[in-house]
Amino acid sequence: LGGNYYFTSDEVELHGKEINLVDAKHTKENKLPSLGDIKDGLLKMILFTNLEVLKKESKTNNFKILLNKEFLI
């Protein structure tokens, strides 16, 4: 499966020298996001947790990977 794949996080939070990559799932009417959204979030969590280095402006930073579920009102 050659080619380029672009996986993006929904949010990036900067906390000093630490960077949080956040994949957010939203739902308005249900208690849980759809099964497809859950699978997408888990795939990104697996891929992002295998990152060895995360750089910002050529500097290596500590980072966390977070999955966030938000309720929309």
Side-chain angles (χ1 to χ4, degrees), residues 36-54:
D37 281 345
I38 293 170
K39 288 179 180 179
D40 177 69
L42 290 174
L43 174 65
K44 287 182 181 178
M45 292 289 291
I46 291 167
L47 293 172
F48 290 160
T49 54
N50 283 295
L51 291 174
E52 294 180 7
V53 175
L54 184 66

Side-chain angles (χ1 to χ4, degrees), residues 35 44 61:
L35 184 58
K44 287 182 181 178
N61 292 276

Side-chain angles (χ1 to χ4, degrees), residues 49-73:
T49 54
N50 283 295
L51 291 174
E52 294 180 7
V53 175
L54 184 66
K55 292 186 177 186
K56 177 184 169 242
E57 298 173 356
S58 300
K59 295 179 184 175
T60 301
N61 292 276
N62 295 328
F63 62 95
K64 289 182 184 177
I65 309 302
L66 306 171
L67 182 60
N68 182 23
K69 182 197 173 293
E70 295 181 11
F71 290 98
L72 301 177
I73 298 174

Side-chain angles (χ1 to χ4, degrees), residues 11-15 18-22 66 68:
E11 301 172 24
V12 175
E13 298 174 350
L14 304 174
H15 299 280
E18 185 172 272
I19 298 174
N20 293 344
L21 298 178
V22 181
L66 306 171
N68 182 23

